[in-house]
Amino acid sequence: MMQDKKPADVIIVGGGTAAFAGAIRAADQGAQVLIVEEGKIGGTCVNWGCVPSKTLIARADEYQCVRHEQRFGLETSGEINLELLFENQRFTVDRVRNSHYEGMLAAYPGIEVLKGHGRFVAPDTLDVNGEHYQSERFLVAAGGRPRTLNIPGLKETGFLTSHSILQRKTLPESLLVLGGGVIALEMGQMLSRLGTRVTIVERNDRLLKEFDRRLSEKFHALLESEGVHVELGVETLRTYREDDQVVICGRRENEGFCLQAHELLLAVGTAPATDRLGCDTAGIALTEEGFIAVDEEMGTSVKGIWAAGDITGGPLIAPAGAHEAEVAVDNMFHPEKHRRIDHRMTPMAVFTVPEFAVVGIFTPSWQPNSLDIVDAFLDLERVDKAHIVDRRHGGILVCADRENGRLLGVQMLGDRAADVIQAAAVAIRCGMSVFDLADTVTVYPAISEGLQLAARACVRKLQQVS
């Protein structure tokens, strides 16, 4: 006979970034928190995503620099020690998990971690390892997993995902990457720089379609110059294995062709981990894509159940999930505050080299000639620091309200774009105008000077149309 355990003030399903942010927020308010996690503490970002991938991206960039130092009169040589490379990756992951997650628990005695899979058997009851845990408040932050496609032959062919490829101890000799988004570009460029022959296969007519074409096409050209082969506009029809090769058969403009490599990486986005949560039993509504549907206060369709992070859909980035969890917990314990999520000011980045970054109103249907806005584009060639570090590929796009010059959005491709975009995020949040940005003194030489120069270009446009 199953026994009901003493209820916690809040039970959190998941043990990643969003889950821990919510747990700390609740514990800081004196709550007793139970985290239910069946995998490794730290979730996708720490164990299989951001930390391991960005570690390898950093090492690959260093290796790329070493191989090109002769252009500057520096005689260097270097070979890849794969054993040491992957040992450093594992060490970094363990260090981040221990310091930011497992080690942090000692400072919060009100947080308990229970190892096991959690599944709702009622709106107020979670089954974990055959035992029932009840609470008046639940936060579902179980994250997501790599999305797969229903392509004939794919299952039989076998493929790597963004998770499994980072657990390898060897590099593929050649690789087909199916997808042209964030994961595909980060992984494809990194592996190419470490010596893998990479072909990116994308169904759209350009890479990273969420960004302005002027930026994505600059990066496409850079990838090709580094030896990455890119196939656009491809409809993948089937896959199969032939000896030690994976073969993709596709079609482009009614013309069929095949591509082959030693391995296939599926990099087509993230699917929500909702299939084993008992959402139907609890009455939790899902979106058409299978994510948990939430309102602006991160509440679900069921009273007493909130959700945060990747399991609720985009933006699929760890800091956004952490913020959502904090908002959810605040609304649990202080419903009168009605805290709401507004991701219009949430920045995101793509950790290619150079980096992409964006914040503000930009969408895939972005129309720079809209009557309500004015935009200005600055090529990174205009920024002195880009010449100093010899990283001139890129640009900055600034968008402002035509009526008052208020900064609405920024897109960027360039060295340290992920750092520079934070200044734009703060400016948008504080209601600054492009006039304010243009009049702000910058550090010199610095890539961030480009944000000021782009703002000045936008000011000139505003003055022309006023």
Side-chain angles (χ1 to χ4, degrees):
M1 179 178 179
M2 295 182 181
Q3 295 181 351
D4 291 345
K5 297 294 183 181
K6 182 180 178 180
D9 294 315
V10 56
I11 295 177
I12 300 179
V13 184
T17 303
F20 263 72
I24 292 172
R25 190 70 149 214
D28 283 340
Q29 299 183 47
Q32 293 295 310
V33 182
L34 178 64
I35 292 177
V36 178
E37 171 59 58
E38 65 177 330
K40 290 183 177 180
I41 290 296
T44 295
C45 187
V46 172
N47 296 298
W48 307 287
C50 302
V51 175
S53 66
K54 277 52 175 181
T55 300
L56 289 183
I57 288 170
R59 301 295 87 79
D61 186 40
E62 291 162 1
Y63 182 59
Q64 180 84 349
C65 291
V66 165
R67 291 189 296 169
H68 291 81
E69 288 300 303
Q70 291 182 358
R71 292 180 301 161
F72 309 112
L74 302 174
E75 295 294 333
T76 58
S77 62
E79 296 182 356
I80 299 176
N81 183 328
L82 288 180
E83 183 178 355
L84 191 58
L85 178 72
F86 291 115
E87 181 181 332
N88 170 258
Q89 179 201 40
R90 290 190 295 271
F91 175 77
T92 302
V93 169
D94 290 343
R95 182 172 56 189
V96 172
R97 183 175 57 244
N98 291 336
S99 62
H100 295 172
Y101 293 84
E102 294 171 344
M104 180 273 305
L105 288 172
Y108 290 91
I111 300 176
E112 178 187 352
V113 177
L114 176 62
K115 188 80 168 179
H117 174 71
R119 184 179 186 277
F120 284 100
V121 293
D124 65 346
T125 307
L126 196 73
D127 177 88
V128 186
N129 304 330
E131 295 184 321
H132 286 177
Y133 295 80
Q134 293 185 323
S135 180
E136 295 180 356
R137 307 173 190 87
F138 287 89
L139 175 63
V140 182
R145 60 175 65 96
R147 191 163 73 91
T148 60
L149 297 175
N150 187 23
I151 298 173
L154 183 62
K155 184 177 180 180
E156 295 76 14
T157 301
F159 56 89
L160 296 166
T161 68
S162 58
H163 288 190
S164 62
I165 197 167
L166 291 172
Q167 309 306 309
R168 291 169 61 104
K169 297 181 180 180
T170 60
L171 297 174
E173 183 177 336
S174 59
L175 181 71
L176 293 171
V177 180
L178 197 55
V182 174
I183 296 172
L185 299 191
E186 288 183 351
M187 296 289 185
Q189 185 190 42
M190 176 264 289
L191 290 167
S192 172
R193 288 180 159 202
L194 292 176
T196 299
R197 298 193 307 276
V198 174
T199 299
I200 293 175
V201 184
E202 165 61 19
R203 66 177 180 175
N204 291 297
D205 65 349
R206 63 188 178 97
L207 300 173
L208 215 60
K209 59 184 177 59
E210 295 84 359
F211 280 81
D212 185 85
R213 185 179 291 273
R214 287 166 288 188
L215 300 180
S216 60
E217 288 183 350
K218 279 180 176 289
F219 185 73
H220 183 165
L222 176 63
L223 276 184
E224 295 274 10
S225 72
E226 291 186 1
V228 177
H229 186 53
V230 179
E231 295 281 358
L232 298 177
V234 177
E235 178 188 2
T236 301
L237 303 176
R238 66 188 180 101
T239 69
Y240 64 92
R241 280 198 175 270
E242 187 174 88
D243 298 326
D244 64 342
Q245 300 277 301
V246 173
V247 181
I248 287 181
C249 293
R251 178 172 56 204
R252 179 170 50 211
E253 297 179 351
N254 296 320
E255 180 180 344
F257 63 96
C258 292
L259 300 166
Q260 65 181 40
H262 286 86
E263 299 282 359
L264 169 64
L265 171 63
L266 204 60
V268 291
T270 299
T274 52
D275 53 335
R276 298 168 54 228
L277 285 177
C279 292
D280 289 345
T281 303
I284 301 172
L286 305 179
T287 67
E288 290 184 3
E289 297 80 17
F291 294 95
I292 291 180
V294 293
D295 57 28
E296 291 180 334
E297 297 182 12
M298 304 313 298
T300 71
S301 58
V302 180
K303 183 180 179 181
I305 302 178
W306 289 258
D310 289 359
I311 204 163
T312 66
L316 302 172
I317 52 177
H323 181 54
E324 290 168 358
E326 291 170 346
V327 168
V329 169
D330 285 350
N331 288 324
M332 287 180 192
F333 293 100
H334 303 284
E336 73 282 356
K337 290 186 176 181
H338 294 291
R339 286 201 64 193
R340 291 178 171 83
I341 282 290
D342 183 358
H343 280 307
R344 290 178 299 176
M345 293 173 283
T346 298
M348 68 85 65
V350 183
F351 290 90
T352 49
V353 181
E355 297 167 346
F356 286 88
V358 61
V359 67
I361 69 170
F362 291 102
T363 68
S365 58
W366 163 245
Q367 297 294 328
N369 294 321
S370 167
L371 294 177
D372 299 321
I373 56 180
V374 170
D375 79 307
F377 182 83
L378 179 88
D379 195 291
L380 210 62
E381 289 271 1
R382 294 280 309 280
V383 181
D384 292 354
K385 184 62 177 286
H387 292 268
I388 293 170
V389 297
D390 194 39
R391 295 195 170 187
R392 294 165 289 136
H393 284 89
I396 302 175
L397 180 64
V398 169
C399 164
D401 188 304
R402 183 185 296 267
E403 183 178 349
N404 55 25
R406 182 168 61 93
L407 182 65
L408 298 177
V410 174
Q411 282 194 18
M412 180 176 178
L413 171 67
D415 190 41
R416 295 193 173 276
D419 298 316
V420 175
I421 203 68
Q422 192 63 37
V426 172
I428 292 174
R429 183 179 178 86
C430 294
M432 291 177 64
S433 69
V434 286
F435 300 99
D436 297 322
L437 272 185
D439 198 40
T440 299
V441 178
T442 66
V443 172
Y444 181 88
I447 295 296
S448 57
E449 181 195 15
L451 188 59
Q452 181 201 49
L453 297 176
R456 287 180 173 177
C458 195
V459 165
R460 287 192 292 272
K461 275 195 170 184
L462 284 168
Q463 291 170 340
Q464 292 170 2
V465 299
S466 62

